[in-house]
Structure formats: C-alpha cells, structure tokens
Amino acid sequence: MRSGQPTRRRFLTTTAVSAALLAMPHVRGAHAAGKLAVGFWDHWVPGANKASTALCEEWAAKNKVEVTIDYITSQGSKNLLTIAAEAQSQSGHDILSFPTWQPADHANRLEPVDDIMAELIKVNGAVNPTVEYLARPGGTWLAVPASVGSQIKGPCSRIDLMKKHAGIDVQAMYPAGSPPKAEAWTLDAMLKAAEACHKGGNPFGIGLGQTEDNVDTAGAIFQSFGAALVDAKGNIAVKSDAVRQAMEYYRKLAQWLPPDAPAWDNASNNKYLVAGKGSLIMNPPSAWAVAKRDAPQVAEQCWTHGFPAGPKGRFAPFLPYFYGIWKFGKNKSAAKSLLVHLSQPSSVEKMVVASGGFDLPAFEKLTTFKVWAEEGPPKGTLYHYPNPHNHQILSVAAQPAPPKIAVQIYTQAIQTKMVVRFMQGEPMEKTLAWAESEVEGFMRT
C-alpha cells in the first residue's frame, strides 16, 4: 500500500557552469536556463525522497535551472487532488508524479513524450505491456514510467508457516539468485495451502474489501482465468465462462480467509503479517519493512515471491507510477531533459536503493540491481520481487478494458464486490447481472 509524510518543499538553485546531460537529440545547450516546478510523490520510506532531490540538484547544477520540488503525500488522496486542481486551473507544476490510472485520465492535458521514451527504451530496454496500456493508450506516450512508487503486489509468505502447515518451501521454489522453480505453484496449490494454513491457525491474509490491495489481488486472479469484465474493444464480457470459473475459485478460497476479509482495507494485510497471524499476504515489501522495525522475528521469516499460475498464465498485480509534463508547463524542454536524467540506469538504481528495494523500474534491463539480492533479513528475500526472470505477466486489475472504463471497474471494486456477493450466498447469475448493469453504467459516463 502507499502512504506518505506531510508535504514538504525544497528549493534548489544553482549557477554552476552548464554541461550536456546526455548525447540525446532533444537536449540543447540553451534550453535549460530558467525555472522548473516539480511535484513528486512523497515516499513512505524515511529518507527515500533525498535520492530524488539529489538527482534533481545534480541536473540543476549542470543546466543552470532553478528547480522547485514539492513532495506531495498520497494520504487523504492529496496527490490526486493536486492533479485535479492543476488540470482544472491550467497552472502549477511543470512535472508531476501520476499514479497508475492518471495519465490516461488526463491524456488531452499532457505533453507527448514519444521522443524521450524512444531514447529511454533504447538505453533501458522495453517496458512491460501494462505500462504501455496505461501511458500509451492511443499510440502516443503520455508519461514516462517512474520507479518511485511503482510496485508489484505479489505474495509475501512466511517461510516457517508455509513449511509447517502446507509443506511448501518457498525459498526452494523461489531461490535467491536463481530462476524460479515454481511449476507446481498454481492457483490449485495455493487453494490447498490456504486450507492447510487456515486449519493450522495461520490463515492467508488476503482481503476482500474495496481498497486497492484487495482489488489488485482479485484482478490478478481473474486474469489468471482469462476473466475480463470488458474486453479490449469495449465489449462487456461479464457473463463468460472464464468469469464464472474465477468466481467459483474465489468462493472456495474465501472460506479459508479471515472472516472479516470483506471489511479489510490497505492496512489490514500489513497488520496481519506484522502481528504474526498470517502465513501469506499479497503486498509489496512495505509490510516486511515495517516488520523489520516492529517485529524482527516475523521479518526474518518473510519471503517475497511470484504469483500462482492459473489456466491462462501467471499474472502479478503491477501498479506503476509515472512522470507527466503538463501541456501548460512553461519549460517543457527542460522538463524532458530532467526526466531523461531521472530515468538513466544509475539514477534509477540510486532511487531504488534509497527505497530499500520497494520501488520498481518498468524497463526490462533494470530489474537486476544488487539491492534486491542483498536486502534482508533474510538475505535475498526481495530477489524475486522485481520479476528478474520475467516469470510473471505484470498486469493491472480490469485490464484489458479501455482505460476509461477499466479505471471505473477498479475504483468501484467491482470484482471484489462480485466475489463477496457470491460467497455470501447470492446466486451466480444474479451477481453477474448486477456486475453487468454496473459496467453498462460505466459505458454511459
């Protein structure tokens, strides 16, 4: 889950001698003079913002730019409120950090970045299809994928409890420093493990509530069955066999989850793991990081690994952040130059290290930084977190529906609501009819 500290502002200014940042076609020696206002997501990891600040200072010193940085918290959705206010007023920052769905939502207000994305892909490798789905919906790049804030919400398992209750050695299945040996880690295997851990007194901490962590897990499970509520062309597909299969699976899984799972929010799974109650949760390393501080005996037994495979593949929930440039920005060329600097491998690695391995680059060549192999305890616990062996298909819930429809399915938690209605006894066809009606409503908005 995401959180942040109170908004902070730091002013950077320098008159150092100008120097070229990179030999890139869009960078010109005279473009950079002036001012640049940047709004970054305020990181929940203490000290993580300092890496972004230092990189901006470095760039500013080379390019004779006064850079103003605001770190904007996501608590209370202040970052989303800032984006909405600036979009309406056509004034504010030149660059902003945009959460997962926001680039597509503001497609007409963002400066295209095809030029710098072409160069960054040459340097850093391709981005995964979900990043393109979210930031290039019409064939034009609207934003640059940011490592800061981006995350995979895959399984974080207790090594000891999974062995004790389910007979599963997650370290052998996902060995540090080596490719996964997870052919047997399927949705059926997870269902059996969930039953065993429930009977052993340490249930899986998978929520069924209406906040992001719950929706992300549901999205990946639905996709593992090929179950889309709306297809890529915008056709409603709620009453498909694949959706019915996903619902039946979830009903079986739900009986082995905590009884209050339908009421869980983004903090519930974290608290469940840190309290030592759960054998597995679906979350980025934030819960493990809190356990290192508050419950080290729990942290040393945690292992982050891949999602179980379903009939249509092994999907993992991926929520990327982006850097976007407003069309009303006053120094677009300088903004692009700064984003190129922030997206260089050395810059990205500094930010990932500062986050303790939480942040994830979207580029294929940037998933093997040493930090993920070295973080602990136990050492190697984060090795498989960035999907270094391309073992999983990274996805976002409600994909592949057109983003403007998918974001409504996502924010209204349609998939988890469907699961809860069905598990509480509502007939399948009535649940599907309700979901179809909801989606039809989204089509009209």
Side-chain angles (χ1 to χ4, degrees):
M1 62 179 287
R2 295 181 178 129
S3 60
Q5 303 300 319
T7 301
R8 300 189 295 274
R9 169 167 284 211
R10 179 171 290 188
F11 186 72
L12 315 177
T13 181
T14 182
T15 57
V17 178
S18 177
L21 171 64
L22 285 171
M24 289 208 171
H26 74 280
V27 178
R28 302 190 303 275
H31 81 272
K35 297 180 180 181
L36 196 66
V38 181
F40 288 143
W41 173 62
D42 189 18
H43 214 298
W44 64 272
V45 174
N49 291 339
K50 293 179 181 178
S52 296
T53 298
L55 289 165
C56 289
E57 288 177 337
E58 178 182 271
W59 176 86
K62 291 180 178 179
N63 291 278
K64 291 185 177 179
V65 180
E66 292 181 357
V67 180
T68 302
I69 303 178
D70 288 319
Y71 286 100
I72 306 168
T73 182
S74 51
Q75 290 184 343
S77 298
K78 288 183 180 178
N79 56 339
L80 299 181
L81 294 172
T82 299
I83 291 169
E86 293 192 5
Q88 183 175 16
S89 67
Q90 295 286 290
S91 63
H93 299 88
D94 297 283
I95 298 172
L96 270 182
S97 294
F98 287 80
T100 305
W101 297 102
Q102 292 296 301
D105 194 42
H106 294 280
N108 296 330
R109 304 179 184 92
L110 291 174
E111 181 73 11
V113 289
D114 294 288
D115 49 354
I116 60 176
M117 280 302 295
E119 295 300 329
L120 291 174
I121 288 170
K122 288 180 183 178
V123 174
N124 297 333
V127 296
N128 65 70
T130 294
V131 168
E132 289 209 36
Y133 164 77
L134 293 164
R136 197 188 182 194
T140 297
W141 281 107
L142 305 173
V144 175
S147 62
V148 176
S150 296
Q151 57 194 269
I152 292 174
K153 294 186 178 180
C156 175
S157 291
R158 280 283 299 268
I159 299 166
D160 52 350
L161 297 180
M162 287 289 277
K163 283 182 182 177
K164 178 181 178 181
H165 300 315
I168 295 175
D169 186 339
V170 292
Q171 288 177 302
M173 190 165 63
Y174 284 89
S178 300
K181 301 175 182 178
E183 293 80 6
W185 181 233
T186 64
L187 286 176
D188 286 342
M190 187 174 81
L191 185 62
K192 292 177 182 177
E195 179 180 2
C197 290
H198 181 273
K199 292 178 177 178
N202 299 104
F204 282 9
I206 297 175
L208 298 171
Q210 299 175 25
T211 54
E212 293 91 337
D213 284 5
N214 307 288
V215 172
D216 295 327
T217 300
I221 290 177
F222 269 62
Q223 286 158 347
S224 299
F225 285 95
L229 303 188
V230 177
D231 67 21
K233 295 181 179 180
N235 300 310
I236 297 176
V238 170
K239 294 182 178 179
S240 68
D241 290 342
V243 171
R244 290 183 172 88
Q245 290 167 8
M247 294 280 286
E248 289 287 0
Y249 176 85
Y250 239 124
R251 182 165 66 173
K252 294 175 184 176
L253 177 64
Q255 66 184 316
W256 309 123
L257 303 179
D260 62 344
W264 276 26
D265 60 19
N266 285 343
S268 301
N269 54 0
N270 292 37
K271 293 176 180 177
Y272 201 70
L273 182 79
V274 175
K277 296 179 180 179
S279 295
L280 175 150
I281 65 169
M282 300 291 188
N283 215 61
S286 49
W288 165 78
V290 172
K292 280 205 300 181
R293 181 193 67 200
D294 297 343
Q297 74 282 2
V298 171
E300 64 188 16
Q301 291 292 336
C302 290
W303 201 254
T304 294
H305 58 86
F307 215 84
K312 298 300 181 181
R314 192 183 303 274
F315 290 80
F318 179 56
L319 274 78
Y321 251 79
F322 299 92
Y323 299 124
I325 302 170
W326 290 121
K327 283 184 176 179
F328 60 74
K330 299 177 181 178
N331 206 344
K332 297 174 188 175
S333 188
K336 289 186 176 183
S337 179
L338 176 57
L339 293 188
V340 168
H341 180 64
L342 293 176
S343 302
Q344 294 307 296
S346 60
S347 299
V348 174
E349 184 168 17
K350 289 175 182 176
M351 291 184 281
V352 171
V353 169
S355 75
F358 175 88
D359 295 333
L360 288 182
F363 297 95
E364 66 178 351
K365 294 181 181 179
L366 306 183
T367 61
T368 57
F369 296 145
K370 291 182 180 179
V371 62
W372 292 303
E374 295 176 351
E375 276 288 341
K379 185 177 180 180
T381 186
L382 302 186
Y383 174 78
H384 287 280
Y385 170 56
N387 199 35
H389 298 282
N390 202 25
H391 174 60
Q392 306 168 97
I393 301 168
L394 303 188
S395 63
V396 65
Q399 191 177 357
K404 289 189 179 298
I405 299 170
V407 66
Q408 297 178 79
I409 295 172
Y410 185 97
T411 56
Q412 294 300 315
I414 297 301
Q415 290 165 316
T416 54
K417 288 178 181 176
M418 291 170 68
V419 170
V420 171
R421 292 169 76 108
F422 185 49
M423 65 172 273
Q424 291 179 344
E426 184 172 86
M428 171 79 80
E429 296 308 312
K430 186 175 181 179
T431 297
L432 296 182
W434 169 83
E436 187 174 61
S437 176
E438 292 293 302
V439 172
E440 287 173 348
F442 301 154
M443 300 285 195
R444 296 191 291 268
T445 58

